[in-house]
Coordinates of all heavy atoms in Angstrom, one line a residue:
L45 N 96.5 39.9 93.0 CA 97.5 40.6 93.9 C 98.7 41.1 93.2 O 99.1 42.3 93.3 CB 97.9 39.7 95.0 CG 97.0 39.6 96.2 CD1 97.6 38.6 97.2 CD2 96.8 40.9 96.9
V46 N 99.3 40.3 92.4 CA 100.5 40.7 91.7 C 100.2 41.8 90.6 O 100.9 42.7 90.5 CB 101.1 39.4 91.0 CG1 102.2 39.8 90.0 CG2 101.7 38.5 92.0
G47 N 99.0 41.6 90.0 CA 98.6 42.6 89.0 C 98.4 44.0 89.6 O 98.8 45.0 89.1
L48 N 97.7 44.0 90.7 CA 97.4 45.2 91.4 C 98.7 45.9 91.9 O 98.9 47.1 91.6 CB 96.5 45.0 92.6 CG 96.3 46.2 93.6 CD1 95.3 47.1 92.9 CD2 95.8 45.7 94.9
I49 N 99.5 45.2 92.6 CA 100.7 45.8 93.1 C 101.7 46.3 92.0 O 102.1 47.4 92.0 CB 101.4 44.9 94.1 CG1 100.5 44.6 95.3 CG2 102.8 45.4 94.5 CD1 101.0 43.5 96.2
C50 N 101.9 45.4 91.0 CA 102.8 45.8 89.9 C 102.3 46.9 89.1 O 103.0 47.8 88.6 CB 103.1 44.5 89.1 SG 104.1 43.3 89.9
T51 N 101.0 46.9 88.8 CA 100.4 47.9 88.0 C 100.5 49.3 88.6 O 100.9 50.3 88.0 CB 98.9 47.6 87.7 OG1 98.9 46.4 87.0 CG2 98.3 48.7 86.8
M52 N 100.2 49.4 89.9 CA 100.3 50.7 90.6 C 101.7 51.1 90.6 O 102.0 52.3 90.4 CB 99.7 50.5 92.0 CG 98.2 50.4 92.0 SD 97.3 51.7 91.1 CE 97.7 53.1 92.0
I53 N 102.7 50.2 90.9 CA 104.1 50.7 91.0 C 104.6 51.1 89.7 O 105.2 52.2 89.5 CB 104.9 49.5 91.6 CG1 104.6 49.3 93.1 CG2 106.4 49.8 91.4 CD1 105.2 48.1 93.7
V54 N 104.3 50.3 88.6 CA 104.9 50.6 87.3 C 104.2 51.8 86.6 O 104.9 52.6 86.0 CB 104.8 49.4 86.4 CG1 105.1 49.7 85.0 CG2 105.7 48.3 86.9
S55 N 102.9 52.0 86.8 CA 102.2 53.0 86.1 C 102.0 54.3 86.8 O 101.8 55.3 86.2 CB 100.8 52.5 85.6 OG 100.0 52.2 86.7
V56 N 102.1 54.3 88.1 CA 101.9 55.5 88.9 C 103.1 55.9 89.7 O 103.6 57.0 89.6 CB 100.6 55.4 89.8 CG1 100.4 56.6 90.6 CG2 99.4 55.0 89.0
V57 N 103.5 55.1 90.6 CA 104.6 55.4 91.5 C 106.0 55.6 90.9 O 106.6 56.6 91.1 CB 104.7 54.4 92.7 CG1 105.8 54.7 93.6 CG2 103.4 54.3 93.4
F58 N 106.4 54.6 90.1 CA 107.7 54.7 89.5 C 107.9 55.9 88.5 O 108.9 56.6 88.6 CB 108.0 53.4 88.7 CG 109.3 53.4 88.0 CD1 110.5 53.4 88.7 CD2 109.4 53.6 86.6 CE1 111.7 53.4 88.1 CE2 110.6 53.6 86.0 CZ 111.8 53.5 86.7
P59 N 106.9 56.2 87.6 CA 107.2 57.4 86.8 C 107.3 58.7 87.6 O 108.1 59.5 87.2 CB 105.9 57.4 85.9 CG 105.4 56.0 85.9 CD 105.7 55.5 87.2
A60 N 106.5 58.8 88.6 CA 106.6 60.1 89.4 C 107.9 60.1 90.2 O 108.6 61.2 90.2 CB 105.4 60.1 90.4
L61 N 108.4 59.0 90.7 CA 109.7 59.0 91.4 C 110.8 59.2 90.4 O 111.8 59.9 90.7 CB 109.9 57.7 92.1 CG 109.1 57.5 93.4 CD1 109.3 56.1 94.0 CD2 109.6 58.5 94.4
A62 N 110.7 58.6 89.2 CA 111.7 58.9 88.2 C 111.8 60.3 87.8 O 112.9 60.9 87.6 CB 111.5 58.0 87.0
H63 N 110.6 60.9 87.6 CA 110.6 62.4 87.3 C 111.2 63.2 88.3 O 111.9 64.2 88.0 CB 109.1 62.8 87.1 CG 108.9 64.1 86.5 ND1 108.3 65.1 87.2 CD2 109.2 64.6 85.3 CE1 108.3 66.2 86.5 NE2 108.8 65.9 85.3
L64 N 110.9 62.9 89.6 CA 111.6 63.6 90.7 C 113.1 63.4 90.7 O 113.8 64.4 90.9 CB 111.0 63.2 92.0 CG 109.6 63.7 92.4 CD1 109.1 63.0 93.6 CD2 109.8 65.2 92.7
K65 N 113.5 62.2 90.5 CA 115.0 61.9 90.5 C 115.7 62.6 89.4 O 116.8 63.2 89.5 CB 115.2 60.4 90.5 CG 116.6 60.0 90.5 CD 117.2 60.2 91.9 CE 118.6 59.6 91.9 NZ 119.3 59.9 93.1
L66 N 115.1 62.6 88.2 CA 115.8 63.1 87.0 C 115.8 64.6 86.9 O 116.7 65.3 86.5 CB 115.2 62.5 85.7 CG 115.4 61.0 85.5 CD1 114.6 60.6 84.3 CD2 116.9 60.8 85.3
F67 N 114.6 65.2 87.3 CA 114.5 66.6 87.1 C 114.2 67.4 88.4 O 113.7 68.5 88.4 CB 113.3 66.9 86.2 CG 113.5 66.3 84.8 CD1 112.7 65.2 84.5 CD2 114.4 66.7 83.9 CE1 112.8 64.5 83.3 CE2 114.5 66.1 82.7 CZ 113.8 65.0 82.4
G68 N 114.5 66.8 89.6 CA 114.1 67.3 90.9 C 114.6 68.7 91.1 O 113.9 69.6 91.6
T69 N 115.8 69.0 90.7 CA 116.4 70.4 91.0 C 115.7 71.4 90.1 O 115.7 72.6 90.4 CB 117.9 70.4 90.8 OG1 118.2 69.9 89.5 CG2 118.5 69.4 91.8
K70 N 115.2 71.0 88.9 CA 114.7 72.0 88.0 C 113.2 72.1 88.1 O 112.6 73.0 87.4 CB 115.0 71.5 86.5 CG 116.5 71.4 86.3 CD 116.8 70.8 84.9 CE 118.3 70.6 84.7 NZ 118.5 69.9 83.5
L71 N 112.5 71.3 88.9 CA 111.1 71.3 89.0 C 110.6 72.4 89.9 O 111.2 72.8 90.9 CB 110.5 70.0 89.5 CG 110.8 68.8 88.6 CD1 110.3 67.5 89.3 CD2 110.0 68.9 87.3
S72 N 109.4 72.9 89.5 CA 108.8 73.9 90.4 C 108.2 73.2 91.6 O 108.0 72.0 91.6 CB 107.7 74.7 89.6 OG 106.6 73.8 89.4
M73 N 107.8 74.0 92.6 CA 107.2 73.4 93.8 C 105.9 72.7 93.4 O 105.5 71.6 94.0 CB 106.9 74.4 94.9 CG 108.2 74.9 95.5 SD 109.2 73.6 96.2 CE 108.2 73.2 97.7
L74 N 105.1 73.2 92.5 CA 103.9 72.6 92.1 C 104.1 71.2 91.4 O 103.4 70.2 91.7 CB 103.1 73.5 91.1 CG 101.8 72.9 90.6 CD1 100.8 72.7 91.7 CD2 101.2 73.8 89.5
D75 N 105.1 71.2 90.6 CA 105.5 69.9 89.9 C 105.9 68.8 91.0 O 105.6 67.7 90.9 CB 106.6 70.1 88.9 CG 106.1 70.8 87.7 OD1 104.8 70.8 87.4 OD2 106.9 71.4 86.9
K76 N 106.7 69.3 91.9 CA 107.2 68.4 93.0 C 106.0 67.9 93.8 O 105.9 66.7 94.2 CB 108.2 69.0 93.9 CG 109.5 69.2 93.2 CD 110.5 69.9 94.2 CE 111.8 70.2 93.5 NZ 112.8 70.8 94.4
A77 N 105.1 68.8 94.1 CA 103.9 68.4 94.9 C 103.0 67.4 94.1 O 102.5 66.5 94.7 CB 103.1 69.7 95.2
I78 N 102.9 67.6 92.8 CA 102.1 66.7 92.0 C 102.7 65.3 92.0 O 102.1 64.3 92.2 CB 101.9 67.2 90.6 CG1 100.9 68.5 90.6 CG2 101.3 66.2 89.7 CD1 100.9 69.2 89.3
D79 N 104.1 65.3 91.8 CA 104.8 64.0 91.8 C 104.6 63.3 93.2 O 104.4 62.1 93.2 CB 106.3 64.2 91.5 CG 106.5 64.5 90.0 OD1 105.6 64.1 89.2 OD2 107.6 65.0 89.6
W80 N 104.8 64.0 94.3 CA 104.7 63.4 95.6 C 103.3 63.0 95.8 O 103.0 61.9 96.5 CB 105.2 64.3 96.7 CG 106.7 64.3 96.8 CD1 107.6 65.3 96.5 CD2 107.5 63.2 97.2 NE1 108.8 64.8 96.7 CE2 108.8 63.5 97.1 CE3 107.2 61.9 97.6 CZ2 109.9 62.7 97.4 CZ3 108.2 61.0 98.0 CH2 109.5 61.4 97.9
F81 N 102.3 63.7 95.3 CA 100.9 63.3 95.4 C 100.7 62.0 94.7 O 100.0 61.1 95.2 CB 100.0 64.4 94.9 CG 98.5 64.0 94.8 CD1 97.8 63.9 96.0 CD2 97.9 63.6 93.7 CE1 96.5 63.5 96.0 CE2 96.6 63.2 93.6 CZ 95.9 63.2 94.8
L82 N 101.3 61.8 93.5 CA 101.1 60.6 92.8 C 101.8 59.4 93.5 O 101.3 58.3 93.5 CB 101.7 60.7 91.4 CG 100.9 61.6 90.4 CD1 101.6 61.9 89.1 CD2 99.5 61.0 90.2
V83 N 103.0 59.7 94.1 CA 103.7 58.6 94.8 C 102.9 58.2 96.0 O 102.7 57.0 96.2 CB 105.1 59.1 95.2 CG1 105.8 58.2 96.2 CG2 106.0 59.3 94.0
V84 N 102.5 59.1 96.8 CA 101.8 58.8 98.1 C 100.4 58.2 97.7 O 100.0 57.2 98.2 CB 101.6 60.0 99.0 CG1 100.7 59.7 100.1 CG2 103.0 60.4 99.5
G85 N 99.7 58.9 96.8 CA 98.4 58.4 96.4 C 98.4 57.0 95.8 O 97.6 56.1 96.1
G86 N 99.4 56.8 94.9 CA 99.5 55.4 94.3 C 99.8 54.4 95.3 O 99.3 53.3 95.2
S87 N 100.7 54.7 96.3 CA 101.0 53.8 97.3 C 99.8 53.4 98.2 O 99.6 52.3 98.5 CB 102.1 54.3 98.2 OG 103.3 54.5 97.4
V88 N 99.0 54.5 98.5 CA 97.8 54.3 99.3 C 96.8 53.4 98.5 O 96.2 52.5 99.1 CB 97.2 55.6 99.7 CG1 95.8 55.4 100.3 CG2 98.1 56.3 100.7
V89 N 96.6 53.7 97.3 CA 95.7 52.9 96.5 C 96.2 51.4 96.4 O 95.4 50.5 96.4 CB 95.5 53.5 95.1 CG1 94.7 52.6 94.1 CG2 94.7 54.8 95.2
A90 N 97.5 51.2 96.2 CA 98.0 49.9 96.1 C 97.7 49.1 97.4 O 97.3 48.0 97.4 CB 99.5 49.9 95.8

Side-chain angles (χ1 to χ4, degrees):
L45 275 178
V46 171
L48 171 76
I49 294 168
C50 290
T51 300
M52 289 307 295
I53 289 172
V54 169
S55 64
V56 178
V57 175
F58 178 73
L61 284 175
H63 189 246
L64 281 170
K65 180 70 174 173
L66 291 173
F67 305 106
T69 57
K70 300 174 187 174
L71 295 175
S72 69
M73 288 305 287
L74 178 63
D75 289 337
K76 288 180 183 180
I78 292 171
D79 284 341
W80 279 111
F81 175 76
L82 289 172
V83 169
V84 172
S87 300
V88 168
V89 169

